[in-house]
Structures are given as C-alpha cells and as structure tokens.
Amino acid sequence: MPDIVFPCLDEAGALPWVLGRLPAGYRAIVADNGSTDGSAQIAADHGATVVHVPQRGFGAAAHAGLKAATADVVCFCDADASMDPAELPRVADPVLAGDTDLVLGRRRPTSRSAWPLHARVANTALGVMLRRRTGVALHDLGPMRAGRRQALLDLGITDRRFGYPLEMVTRASDAGWRITEVDVGYAPRAEGTKSKVTGTVLGTARTINDMRKVLAR
C-alpha cells in the first residue's frame, strides 16, 4: 500500500483529523519543517512516522518525506485539512494499476471560502504557462498527487521551495510520463492553521515567482 507524505509546518490544529482520515493500509509520513506548535509530537501520537526537516521550504519537506518513504507508490497531501486523505485512492489507484505514471488531484472547492480569488487567478495563469511549457493539458497543479517512489527520485528535482510541485510535473513531462488528473474536494483549511502558499497575496506572489523560475529552465 502507498505511503503518504504530509509536508508540515505548524499544523497542530489539523493533524488529528487529517491522520484520522487515512485509508486502510496507507502509512503517513509527516515531514515536519520546524513546527513550533507541537505538530511533530501530535503526528507521532497519532501513529505517523515523523521526519524532521531542518532546511526550510515546502520542497525540502516534501523531498525529505519522499526519501523516507519505503512503499513503491508514494502520495503527497497537504496537512492543513483542506484536502481529505480518504480521497487518496482516487490518485493512487491508477498508479498502482499501472494505468498512468503521475496523477494530480484537481481541486474542486466545497465552499466559496475554500479558494481565495487571488489564488484561483494565479492557478489559472500557472495552468496556461504549464501547458505552453509542457503541452500537458492540466487545470490545476494539485498538491494531492501520486507516483512511484524510485521514479520520482530519479527525476532529480532540485527545487526546495514552492517550485517543487511544478518541477515534478515539468520533469515528468520531459521524461515522457503519462500524467493525468482526477477530481478531489478542496475545503477551507482547519481553524488555527495558516496557508504558507495561497493564504495571502504576498505568499501567492512568492509562489508564482518560484514557479516562473522553474518554467524558465
């Protein structure tokens, strides 16, 4: 069964629900990126494998979790309760079956407050740039995704900031991977947690800047 990597920075308010929603047989790896709210201990108390990642950055946490995984298929999911881990089989099953190489969860908001307008606009612009760069017709660079562990490592992803998810897709496309999308729900994040990416206009701008650098390579 797959391992699930949860990049984590101060998600204490979300982790009990998130880790309680794991599909049967899936193993959680919480890649803690220097949390100060007790997230690492909460994750351990709820049965997750905790990897401490001193290098700050979303990509640093995600990649450390990928390296710590042992399953053939690895999933990635945000740890803020905006996405339901119970839906992970939707992204993992096509990879497990050998039908595709990388599956991205296309976010479908469950409420109007789940996805701020500035983040939606940025995501649409990114989708256009991604299609121009790769020819892959994706609608969303979804944080819920799945692929085979060794193949993902072999891509040689170097970004350790917010460009990591995009570089995964561009390198996979360049390598001729079969990349597909499936719909997954997207809800407001858990109370007491804060987005590091889309929660503010500044955070979104920084993310887009990181991703522009990836697309320019």
Side-chain angles (χ1 to χ4, degrees):
M1 298 298 288
D3 286 341
I4 313 167
V5 175
F6 293 100
C8 175
L9 177 59
D10 294 332
E11 306 288 8
L15 283 171
W17 182 85
V18 167
L19 296 175
R21 297 288 293 174
L22 298 181
Y26 283 53
R27 181 175 72 116
I29 300 173
V30 173
D32 188 73
N33 206 199
S35 297
T36 59
D37 65 349
S39 288
Q41 187 59 54
I42 291 171
D45 290 346
H46 284 78
T49 297
V50 178
V51 178
H52 295 279
V53 188
Q55 180 184 354
R56 282 298 181 98
F58 176 87
H63 201 69
L66 175 62
K67 290 174 67 176
T70 57
D72 178 43
V73 172
V74 177
C75 303
F76 296 84
C77 185
D78 283 352
D80 59 12
S82 62
M83 311 189 85
D84 187 352
E87 293 189 324
L88 280 163
R90 294 187 187 181
V91 299
D93 285 352
V95 179
L96 287 165
D99 296 332
T100 191
D101 302 307
L102 179 65
V103 179
L104 307 182
R106 182 183 182 183
R107 289 170 286 186
R108 296 294 194 176
T110 60
S111 72
R112 294 183 64 180
S113 62
W115 208 347
L117 178 60
H118 64 268
R120 292 194 193 202
V121 171
N123 190 68
T124 299
L126 179 61
V128 172
M129 291 187 289
L130 183 60
R131 286 192 290 274
R132 289 175 180 171
R133 163 66 174 77
T134 67
V136 180
L138 297 174
H139 299 86
D140 183 20
L141 194 67
M144 183 183 282
R145 53 183 59 193
R148 295 196 179 275
R149 177 184 180 274
Q150 191 56 55
L152 288 167
L153 289 171
D154 289 345
L155 288 176
I157 303 168
T158 60
D159 192 282
R160 293 296 180 264
R161 288 165 49 92
F162 294 127
Y164 186 89
L166 177 59
E167 187 179 358
M168 182 185 293
V169 175
T170 58
R171 286 183 177 261
S173 174
D174 291 345
W177 286 26
R178 297 165 297 171
I179 304 172
T180 56
E181 285 183 325
V182 296
D183 288 349
V184 296
Y186 191 54
R189 65 185 51 256
E191 185 175 351
T193 66
K194 183 179 180 181
S195 173
K196 291 78 180 174
V197 182
T198 60
T200 66
V201 174
L202 179 58
T204 299
R206 287 174 174 168
T207 302
I208 290 295
N209 185 54
D210 285 349
M211 292 183 175
R212 284 183 186 276
K213 292 178 181 178
V214 172
L215 289 170
R217 293 175 187 171

